[in-house]
């Protein structure tokens, strides 16, 4: 028995309708820890190269880590991973809420879903018992309806549901997995994989607390953290404004993605700001298991949009993706779009970015009224945006093409549409402008899941939570935001390692734990005499397994690149004249490879794999 | 003002008779920390490539670290470094005792000695004040006499003296620096460098305690460690037997260097054992500043050898070097040899190894009665060994040649003597058999100072203090002793990084602190929110600076090699048939390079230097 773990990995074979349990040794848990590292370990070990991401050979993994479900702020998270239908490479997203905690308390550390059910099903887990149940009556329902039905038919209280919506059912390639209705494992199209398996939901109820090595130490730390959060500047700001708090400042600095990344300043920024949301449509704030920060907005909007706080409210990414990036300054419409994405299980980033892409194509004559059935798909048209959300989720009309993501849509459209397809490796760019944050831009290029900001650094990292970690790791001072030096790459490498480490624990990015407190936490949970070195090596192991996965799928150095748009300088705004220099980017990528022990082609060296104790990766 | 440091680096220019003080920023201290990293930093920055190690352009550096002189077990250490006259490369040795603590309490963190005095001098430091004093009356004296004279003429009590003996005066290339008479910074010939500068001694008296960030935390840790040491198995064993305790077991396992490493079993092992020493000539035990372990033997021997406990007693290295490696089973003679080495300032390892080499040459007819003035320089001849110690220290007769080390002596002797010259990069092999500990053998090849066991791992590391650290670093289990796998190289890499880190703090190898306690200690001293990752990176920075220094001196991959003898299997004893396979060694060296981010030629990659924040190294 490993303290802090259930010691059980659940397998559900949907093709055969069978379940089984793996019981790994302590060495496995210590080496791979949880979350993303579990995901990358199992995907690399158990998938064959080249499998169809939407075929029964793909596996879908939900993984907690030692921290998941422990009663302490930041612990309400889990990973969801599979081969991605969006990138045809490694797919993974982390998500908060309550489902992960409930799942771990139901007796498992992770669940590996294999095969494909003959007809719609959902998985029911209660205190270790597992059932595969009919879900035909849930198919086609909104996430809100589906959760309600499952909870009702369970006959018990406290049931948590992770599920797809109709977007997942329709295998929209950026469909997400939603839990607790308004928490999304958004990126990489995990919802499409789940849909391809005819799996609508995983409902869990757990009453078994994970046994801790030193529960007194964990409780003491939890109490201290709770006190710290009351006055910690970043935490208080997150409590008050959530992720939306920084939108206006970002716009003022010239880094707010606007009109499909054509611009960095949006004239309507104030109208979609977190401040305005607070003062107008905010109905309350929600949060995650055991966390007092409660950073998530819940909004209420009347006619004509009718937004229900059940579906939460738009985060920063959503405000920018459905707002500024589409040139839309109508907060209520953005809130509606957000609700529909939650109800249908769509990643708001890729959805907004796909619509923005289509808008630019429309304005440039690549798409015409004929393609849109007469819809005026111009930047700024809120109604068109909302209609496109519906059409993507249902794969109707133009939505059918956009549901495959901008990379594939650009191929389908032709006529130079590629110029407007803002993606890396097929995944749409999140709402962080690489010209404003070039270090993060380098991170996009190398990220295993394509453009992704969740295991990346922000160039102004020292104003953020990760800043404390970076200082403790030896990156001693902030660097100019637009600098793209080897020092910036070092910050990226250390920052990415640490963020990957958090994603293996699995722990929140926003709760301002120090590195020392993370060590204290993992030690209290597991009893291991661990330290930042060992924890960072878990993150490094994970990055290397992910990279190896992508190499097996045929990805190489040529896939580590940014859309050309970012090499053009802004022609207005505070960043006028600022663009990424291609040769600087290429150099930074080479430097990154070198720093992490990859060869010139970006392949992990044998010695690096050996140093990490994962030599097996080379034969996988 | 940086907590835990004096914030002052003293410079003494002996050519001009001037002193000055550098006051580095906190960033410097955090990046390089102390000890070896200070040494390698300054040598790389301030020496030109190719300087004569025994010329005035070489610099001799004594460096403490944040731990040096803090009242806690393990803190009585400092580094002594310079370009080595023995290897013509990077030279450095760590030493315990009381001098380092006194030096730090005299107001400095390190001293850089430049130039050459016109005539013999010594440096006097009292609470920040520095004087260069005449030492003509000390020249030629034993270390015991010299220390006594300096202490007497100071007129105050508590004066600590670091000095050379006549071996250093005569620039024997493996002359050591001795402090407190029986603590030697033994390896690399630092005593010869000191002698070349006409500097006989550095005498210090310090009454200024280094200010700590959190002295209560440090005191609390010191108290806990003191309690732990009372019952800690390894610590108690060190208290009872010192380093000599393991000699018999090592012999039983077949790994005791015998007759110039020809054999691994010595029939007279019991007669030079720690156990016998304890029962016969032991007069007491000495130790270092603030340490209750007191692992150092003090022996007393009557006629004809007359050994004074003032000079301590033979450590394991000395028992093997002057004993088994010379085929000598006369403990009292070995104790005498040890005393003479302390009195003259000779490294016992290189001294013993040089004599063993000469003995093998004599037995093989490469040296004859004519070369030895009739002395029967056979293995086992204790009187010959003692006479050779005298002759080496005085550079008389055959001693004149042997005083240059076995590599140069072999060239001088010719006739195939090279076959018997047991050294790496010119430094004699310490008393750890690479065939018994092949991982340590790999460490010998790569060590910046040539064959050196002080920043190396032992293949049975898990029985030792470093085992706990290795476990915490993620090397989860012991490996078979004779295995030379990539896993063993990983153990070596992690172990070397950690040992280098300890040598930058500067901290003892033998006091069983956990990695977590070392973090607690450094945090208490400096106030830095540090962690094992940051500390390991200091060690890694140090290793890379040392490597870069050697590359500048023209060393390359070809210098990372073991004497051919170790490729021959033992033909008797428990390790009969065991030898190092050359192709395995070559592969292990390549693996090591890869793991630490060096290219195929063993040159640190630019990206690695950038990752460590020491890009400047490439232009140095």
């Amino acid at each position: 028995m490993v303290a802090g773990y259930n010691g059980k990995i659940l397998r559900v074979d949907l093709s055969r309708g069978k379940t089984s349990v793996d019981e790994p040794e302590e060495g496995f848990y210590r080496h791979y820890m949880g979350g993303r590292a579990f995901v990358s370990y199992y995907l690399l070990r158990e998938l064959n190269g080249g499998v169809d991401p939407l075929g029964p050979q793909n596996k879908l993994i939900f993984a907690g880590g030692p921290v998941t479900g422990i009663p302490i702020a930041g612990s309400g998270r889990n990973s969801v991973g599979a081969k991605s239908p969006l990138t045809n490479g490694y797919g993974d997203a982390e998500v908060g809420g309550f489902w992960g905690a409930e799942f771990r308390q139901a007796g498992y550390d992770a669940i590996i879903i294999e095969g494909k059910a003959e007809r719609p099903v959902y998985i029911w887990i209660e205190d270790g018992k597992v059932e595969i149940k009919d879900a035909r009556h849930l198919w086609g329902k909104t996430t809100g309806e589906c959760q309600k039905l499952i909870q009702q038919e369970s006959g018990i209280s406290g049931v948590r549901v992770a599920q797809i919506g109709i977007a997942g059912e329709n295998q929209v390639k950026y469909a997400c997995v939603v839990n607790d209705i308004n928490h999304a494992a958004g990126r990489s199209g995990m919802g499409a994989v789940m849909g391809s398996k005819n799996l609508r939901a995983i409902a869990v109820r757990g009453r078994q607390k994970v046994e801790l090595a030193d529960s007194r130490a964990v409780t003491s730390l939890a109490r201290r953290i709770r006190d710290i959060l009351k006055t910690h500047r970043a935490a208080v700001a997150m409590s008050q404004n959530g992720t939306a708090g920084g939108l206006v400042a970002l716009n003022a600095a010239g880094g707010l993605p606007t009109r499909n990344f054509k611009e960095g300043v949006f004239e309507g920024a104030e109208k979609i700001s977190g401040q305005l949301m607070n003062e107008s449509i905010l109905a309350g704030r929600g949060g995650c298991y055991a966390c007092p920060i409660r950073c998530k907005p819940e909004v209420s909007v009347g006619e004509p949009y009718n937004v229900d706080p059940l579906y939460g409210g738009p985060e920063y990414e959503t405000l920018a993706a459905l707002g500024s990036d589409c040139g839309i300054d109508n907060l209520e419409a953005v809130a509606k779009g957000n609700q529909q994405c939650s109800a249908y299980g769509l990643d708001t980033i890729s959805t907004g970015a796909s619509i923005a892409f289509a808008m630019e194509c429309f304005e440039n004559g690549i798409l015409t009224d004929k393609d849109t059935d007469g819809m005026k798909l111009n930047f700024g048209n809120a109604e068109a945006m909302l209609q496109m959300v519906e059409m993507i989720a249902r794969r109707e009309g133009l939505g059918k093409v956009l549901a495959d993501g901008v990379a594939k849509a650009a191929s389908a459209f032709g006529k130079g549409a590629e110029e407007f397809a803002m993606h890396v490796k097929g995944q749409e760019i999140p709402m962080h402008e690489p010209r404003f944050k070039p270090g993060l831009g380098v991170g996009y290029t190398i990220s295993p899941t394509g453009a992704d900001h969740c295991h990346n650094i922000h160039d102004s990292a020292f104003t953020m939570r990760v800043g404390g970690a970076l200082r403790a790791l030896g990156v001693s001072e902030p660097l100019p935001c637009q600098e793209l030096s080897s020092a910036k790459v070092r910050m990226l490498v250390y920052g990415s390692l640490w963020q990957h480490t958090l994603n293996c624990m699995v722990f929140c990015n926003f709760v301002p734990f120090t590195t020392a407190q993370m060590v204290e936490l993992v030690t209290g949970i597991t009893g291991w005499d661990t330290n930042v070195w060992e924890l960072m090596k878990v993150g490094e192991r994970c990055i290397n397994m992910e990279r190896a996965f992508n190499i097996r799928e045929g990805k190489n150095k040529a896939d580590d690149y940014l859309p050309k748009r970012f090499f053009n300088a802004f022609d207005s705004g505070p960043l006028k004249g600022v663009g990424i220099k291609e040769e600087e980017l290429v150099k930074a990528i080479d430097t990154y490879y070198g720093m992490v022990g990859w060869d010139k082609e970006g392949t992990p060296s044998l010695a690096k794999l050996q140093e990490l104790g994962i030599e097996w990766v080379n034969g996988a």
Side-chain angles (χ1 to χ4, degrees), chain A:
Chain A
M1 187 64 191
V2 188
Y5 288 95
N6 291 297
K8 288 182 179 169
I9 310 281
L10 175 64
R11 281 180 193 274
V12 177
D13 182 337
L14 292 175
S15 297
R16 300 181 188 193
K18 301 261 184 208
T19 68
S20 62
V21 173
D22 292 1
E23 299 191 12
E25 300 289 315
E26 178 162 8
F28 169 82
Y29 281 107
R30 191 154 181 175
H31 212 51
Y32 301 104
M33 198 154 280
R36 276 183 99 91
F38 279 5
V39 170
S40 47
Y41 173 86
Y42 282 111
L43 292 183
L44 198 51
R45 280 278 201 205
E46 302 190 359
L47 294 195
N48 290 321
V51 297
D52 176 4
L54 298 176
Q57 303 301 321
N58 198 1
K59 298 192 183 190
L60 178 67
I61 301 170
F62 290 68
V67 175
T68 308
I70 303 306
I72 191 165
S75 68
R77 292 179 77 78
N78 63 271
S79 297
V80 184
K83 180 173 173 183
S84 166
L86 192 59
T87 67
N88 267 308
Y90 179 75
D92 180 294
E94 275 67 44
V95 58
F98 296 83
W99 184 89
E102 196 74 27
F103 171 74
R104 281 251 296 166
Q105 290 168 13
Y108 298 105
D109 300 314
I111 174 170
I112 302 170
I113 298 151
E114 304 169 345
K116 178 185 176 175
E118 268 180 36
R119 52 189 186 199
V121 296
Y122 75 93
I123 297 171
W124 168 257
I125 305 172
E126 184 182 4
D127 293 333
K129 284 170 297 183
V130 185
E131 269 180 87
I132 301 170
K133 295 192 168 193
D134 194 340
R136 279 174 292 180
H137 60 303
L138 305 173
W139 213 250
K141 296 277 189 291
T142 63
T143 52
E145 290 162 345
C146 174
Q147 175 171 302
K148 199 169 168 188
L149 283 166
I150 290 176
Q151 286 174 334
Q152 280 172 350
E153 69 193 40
S154 78
I156 57 173
S157 65
V159 173
R160 300 289 180 179
V161 178
Q163 60 170 316
I164 54 170
I166 59 168
E169 293 176 0
N170 295 326
Q171 301 180 24
V172 173
K173 289 195 175 166
Y174 43 86
C176 61
V177 174
V178 165
N179 56 246
D180 308 298
I181 294 178
N182 64 341
H183 297 265
R187 311 306 318 271
S188 307
M190 298 298 98
V193 177
M194 195 156 161
S196 76
K197 296 188 172 307
N198 269 331
L199 178 64
R200 172 69 200 227
I202 307 174
V204 293
R205 181 68 179 103
R207 302 176 189 83
Q208 307 168 341
K209 287 215 170 137
V210 179
E211 212 168 297
L212 306 183
D214 185 348
S215 61
R216 234 185 262 183
V218 175
T219 305
S220 150
L221 179 62
R223 218 175 279 136
R224 273 178 284 142
I225 289 294
R226 188 166 277 265
D227 286 342
I228 288 168
L229 294 182
K230 283 176 190 159
T231 55
H232 189 285
R233 225 175 108 185
V236 169
M238 281 300 280
S239 289
Q240 288 171 348
N241 303 309
T243 55
L247 186 146
V248 168
L250 198 61
N251 187 60
L256 180 65
T258 300
R259 295 184 192 86
N260 200 31
F261 286 90
K262 268 200 304 181
E263 296 146 69
V265 178
F266 182 45
E267 66 287 354
E270 302 279 353
K271 295 191 186 165
I272 56 167
S273 72
Q275 287 76 358
L276 183 65
M277 182 159 60
N278 277 1
E279 292 159 12
S280 55
I281 61 176
L282 195 77
R285 287 209 170 268
C288 299
Y289 175 78
C291 185
I293 295 184
R294 299 181 70 75
C295 65
K296 295 186 75 66
E298 292 168 349
V299 302
S300 176
V301 177
E303 290 296 337
Y305 296 118
N306 297 319
V307 176
D308 184 343
L310 176 72
Y311 288 101
E315 299 283 342
Y316 162 73
E317 297 292 334
T318 311
L319 290 167
L322 299 178
S324 58
D325 204 39
C326 289
I328 290 168
D329 63 2
N330 180 335
L331 179 61
E332 298 194 349
V334 171
K336 175 68 172 189
N338 179 70
Q339 168 172 287
Q340 297 312 83
C341 286
S342 286
Y344 301 150
L346 278 172
D347 173 32
T348 59
I349 296 174
S350 285
T351 302
S354 296
I355 297 170
F357 160 73
M359 285 174 165
E360 191 164 11
C361 287
F362 187 81
E363 296 208 340
N364 283 275
I366 294 169
L367 295 177
T368 63
D369 287 11
K370 209 176 133 195
D371 300 298
T372 64
D373 281 329
M375 192 200 314
K376 297 298 173 200
L377 198 53
N378 292 95
F379 283 122
N381 186 343
E383 301 313 316
M385 177 273 284
L386 289 174
Q387 205 176 323
M388 284 310 310
V389 171
E390 298 285 336
M391 289 167 73
I392 290 168
R394 298 180 198 284
R395 277 192 177 269
E396 288 172 359
L398 184 59
K400 191 173 176 185
V401 187
L402 291 180
D404 284 339
V406 299
K408 290 216 178 68
S411 298
F413 296 164
K415 304 177 197 166
E418 208 173 90
E419 185 189 341
F420 307 131
M422 298 293 107
H423 72 92
V424 177
K425 295 189 179 67
Q427 174 149 276
E428 290 73 19
I429 311 270
M431 296 301 120
H432 303 273
E433 168 58 68
R435 283 166 288 193
F436 180 58
K437 305 170 180 176
L440 183 134
V442 179
Y444 285 164
T445 70
I446 295 166
S447 159
T449 49
D452 199 324
H453 65 296
C454 292
H455 40 263
N456 215 320
I457 56 137
H458 295 252
D459 295 63
S460 53
F462 279 85
T463 61
M464 298 185 58
R465 157 170 159 44
V466 78
L470 284 172
R471 261 189 218 97
L473 297 172
V475 178
S476 53
E477 50 194 53
L479 299 167
C481 198
Q482 266 87 58
E483 179 181 309
L484 195 47
S485 60
S486 64
K488 181 64 72 67
V489 177
R490 177 178 181 237
M491 183 195 267
L492 171 65
V493 169
Y494 282 28
S496 294
L497 285 175
W498 182 244
Q499 301 244 8
H500 260 83
T501 299
L502 295 180
N503 287 341
C504 297
M505 291 179 174
V506 187
F507 191 78
C508 181
N509 257 325
F510 292 144
V511 183
F513 271 58
T514 65
T515 52
Q517 286 161 340
M518 288 309 308
V519 170
E520 192 181 341
L521 177 57
V522 176
T523 301
I525 292 171
T526 60
W528 298 331
D529 168 28
T530 191
N531 53 69
V532 178
W533 174 271
E534 190 183 22
L535 296 180
M536 289 279 276
K537 288 289 164 185
V538 173
E540 195 176 355
R541 222 164 265 138
C542 183
I543 287 177
N544 278 276
M545 290 190 292
E546 293 169 340
R547 185 80 182 176
F549 185 94
N550 277 343
I551 289 169
R552 189 172 70 183
E553 295 300 332
K555 299 200 186 301
N556 58 37
K557 186 174 184 170
D559 296 292
D560 295 346
Y561 222 63
L562 282 179
K564 290 204 172 20
R565 168 156 287 173
F566 300 122
F567 303 136
N568 300 330
F570 284 115
D571 54 16
S572 64
L575 297 181
K576 184 174 172 177
V578 173
I580 289 185
K581 294 192 182 66
E582 196 168 354
E583 66 279 11
E584 281 187 9
L585 178 70
V586 170
K587 195 173 162 193
I589 291 170
D590 287 343
T591 301
Y592 185 104
Y593 290 172
M595 285 189 184
V596 298
W598 297 350
D599 69 16
K600 286 182 197 305
E601 296 305 308
T603 303
S605 71
L606 176 61
K608 171 51 74 179
L609 298 178
Q610 289 170 329
E611 186 245 301
L612 295 170
I614 51 170
E615 196 176 344
W616 62 266
V617 163
N618 256 6

